[in-house]
Amino acid sequence: EIRVPAGTRIRLVVFSADVDHQLAVAGISVERETLRGRRQTLEFVAWPPGTYEIACAVVCGAGHDRMKGALVVE
């Protein structure tokens, strides 16, 4: 879970060691391809207030259904 005040500029740096993924924050139109072996940066403004699911948006193998988190914009 990531908690931030509304209006905060978020910068997530992600890395995939195994396969390609796609990080998505549902409800606020944020998606970023995460390519195997490469560091990717995802930047956006956390708005509007609410709780949003963070998940992998492409079927990537075993454990895909457990690749979830939450962004709480307060």
Side-chain angles (χ1 to χ4, degrees), residues 5 7-8 17 21-22 28 30-31 35-36 38 42-43 47 50-51 55 63-64 67 69-71 73:
T8 300
H21 297 277
Q22 186 167 357
I28 54 175
V30 173
E31 289 188 12
L35 304 174
R36 179 177 59 101
R38 295 184 53 195
L42 174 66
E43 294 187 60
W47 184 262
T51 299
H64 169 75
M67 297 181 73
L71 171 65
V73 181

Side-chain angles (χ1 to χ4, degrees), residues 9-69:
R9 176 164 281 291
I10 304 294
R11 182 174 189 210
L12 297 175
V13 179
V14 295
F15 178 82
S16 171
D18 54 2
V19 298
D20 293 351
H21 297 277
Q22 186 167 357
L23 181 80
V25 183
I28 54 175
S29 300
V30 173
E31 289 188 12
R32 178 61 190 226
E33 187 175 36
T34 56
L35 304 174
R36 179 177 59 101
R38 295 184 53 195
R39 182 169 281 123
Q40 304 290 124
T41 302
L42 174 66
E43 294 187 60
F44 60 97
V45 174
W47 184 262
T51 299
Y52 304 94
E53 181 182 75
I54 301 170
C56 182
V58 297
V59 178
C60 56
H64 169 75
D65 60 329
R66 293 184 308 276
M67 297 181 73
K68 295 182 180 172

